[in-house]
Amino acid sequence: MGIEGPMTTMGKKIVGYCRAVGENPRVSELIIEAIGRAIDFKMASSIFSESALLLVSHGTKKNVHSKETTYLHWNILEQKGIFKECHVFFLEEEPRISSWKEYVRSKYIFTVPFFISEGDHSYVDVPKLMGIKKSLRTSAISYPQDVDGRYVWYTKAVGTMEGMEQVILEQVVAFDESFGKVAKVAF
């Protein structure tokens, strides 16, 4: 892209390069809200304390920082103490999502694909590696899914969750506060 730092001049334009959207701490709140929408809210308060939260991300050895944002939200969510267990799993690094049954003890599982958009990883790869039999892309799936006697709920990708547009705007505002007003945002 030709970006050379937080602000780059390109011709007559100044391009501001904001921090990654996933780094915003409010993403943790969106995760909890998405899980709450996946089940009856009355049921949520009683079941969360007996449940495991699984954040599933890509992970790659091509970038030593690829897992940091996932662990940031894992840490926030674990400290809240809402869930009995909180785990992080990856597609290409350890611990791998295919081994989730070795780590997770809870009967109720809430899986959140920590991806910016829906795609094969969130629709096909992660569910298949978890043992969810139906394709999320081609089937209307009711939840929870029975996976070897455990109840598994599966949310939308983090980047598509309701409220993410507000998080994006917050990143722009944070950029402006740090580097001076550069962006004009219109929705």
Side-chain angles (χ1 to χ4, degrees):
M1 290 181 63
I3 293 175
E4 301 168 352
M7 293 194 329
T8 302
T9 301
M10 294 182 168
K12 295 182 180 180
K13 297 180 181 182
I14 297 173
V15 176
Y17 191 71
C18 298
R19 307 248 345 140
V21 173
E23 293 179 12
N24 189 307
R26 263 196 1 94
V27 170
S28 295
E29 296 170 23
L30 297 181
I31 290 169
I32 294 169
E33 290 170 14
I35 293 170
R37 280 192 292 278
I39 64 173
D40 183 309
F41 272 104
K42 292 177 187 174
M43 184 182 181
S45 60
S46 64
I47 198 172
F48 280 178
S49 63
E50 299 176 26
S51 302
L53 170 66
L54 281 57
L55 288 180
V56 183
S57 185
H58 194 276
T60 178
K61 292 182 180 178
K62 295 176 185 175
N63 181 343
V64 295
H65 304 291
S66 71
K67 302 190 294 188
E68 290 176 2
T69 305
T70 309
Y71 278 115
L72 166 79
H73 293 289
W74 167 79
N75 189 43
I76 291 169
L77 292 162
E78 186 173 64
Q79 287 182 7
K80 288 183 180 287
I82 296 170
F83 300 93
K84 182 177 181 180
E85 303 176 63
C86 287
H87 299 274
V88 172
F89 294 100
F90 301 97
L91 285 172
E92 292 189 2
E93 290 192 78
E94 297 297 332
R96 294 183 187 268
I97 188 58
S98 58
S99 64
W100 73 273
K101 293 176 194 172
E102 297 171 31
Y103 296 91
V104 179
R105 300 290 166 241
S106 297
K107 185 174 184 174
Y108 306 108
I109 316 294
F110 293 96
T111 305
V112 178
F114 202 81
F115 298 100
I116 199 68
S117 65
E118 299 285 1
D120 283 346
H121 288 328
S122 60
Y123 277 125
V124 179
D125 301 337
V126 174
K128 182 178 177 181
L129 291 167
M130 289 189 69
I132 295 174
K133 304 284 188 245
K134 295 181 181 179
S135 166
L136 296 176
R137 186 170 278 171
T138 59
S139 301
I141 295 182
S142 60
Y143 285 100
Q145 287 289 301
D146 183 335
V147 178
D148 296 335
R150 299 200 220 183
Y151 299 100
V152 178
W153 285 263
Y154 193 90
T155 71
K156 299 187 311 183
V158 167
T160 65
M161 291 180 174
E162 190 175 314
M164 186 54 78
E165 66 281 354
Q166 197 59 39
V167 171
I168 293 168
L169 293 175
E170 287 174 17
Q171 294 301 88
V172 172
V173 169
F175 179 89
D176 283 347
E177 288 172 353
S178 296
F179 297 100
K181 188 139 181 123
V182 175
K184 290 182 181 178
V185 180
F187 282 91

